Amino acid sequence: MTRTQDEKPLFEPGLIPAPGAVLDWCDGRHFDRWQDRPCELCDKPTPIRSHYGEPVNKACAEDWIAAHPVEARLGRFASDVQPKRRHDDDHA
């Protein structure tokens, strides 16, 4: 599956981690409980999906970011959007 620049993510991606950092993929939409598909990077079966629906192991995506730091800035793999934390003084 080759993604073009015009494709929209299935849900909003967050920040792209620095090379060597881990992806935060806690959102359940990263998991396809019905079907394992071959990882786009290693061909091993995986239920994990990127924000674009691309089947990919999380570790493979992290390794890809580390090996392709310039391309990674285009957002092929990104962490989930983090909810803003409320501070005590925000609702006092």
Side-chain angles (χ1 to χ4, degrees):
M1 172 179 186
T2 304
R3 195 170 63 78
T4 66
Q5 286 297 106
D6 296 336
E7 285 185 59
K8 301 281 188 217
L10 300 175
F11 58 106
E12 184 180 1
L15 298 176
I16 299 159
V22 297
L23 288 162
D24 179 356
W25 280 359
C26 294
D27 191 300
R29 291 175 284 186
H30 286 291
F31 186 78
D32 181 348
R33 66 184 194 159
W34 305 111
Q35 182 180 23
D36 285 359
R37 296 184 61 207
C39 173
E40 290 289 323
L41 302 173
C42 75
D43 264 349
K44 292 181 182 172
T46 182
I48 306 300
R49 304 292 185 264
S50 73
H51 289 85
Y52 290 89
E54 184 177 17
V56 63
N57 291 304
K58 184 175 171 280
C60 290
E62 292 163 349
D63 290 346
W64 185 89
I65 290 168
H68 303 89
V70 174
E71 291 175 71
R73 288 185 282 165
L74 298 175
R76 180 179 186 186
F77 305 117
S79 288
D80 293 339
V81 172
Q82 298 299 312
K84 293 183 179 174
R85 293 186 178 149
R86 291 178 51 169
H87 297 287
D88 289 332
D89 58 331
D90 289 346
H91 58 279

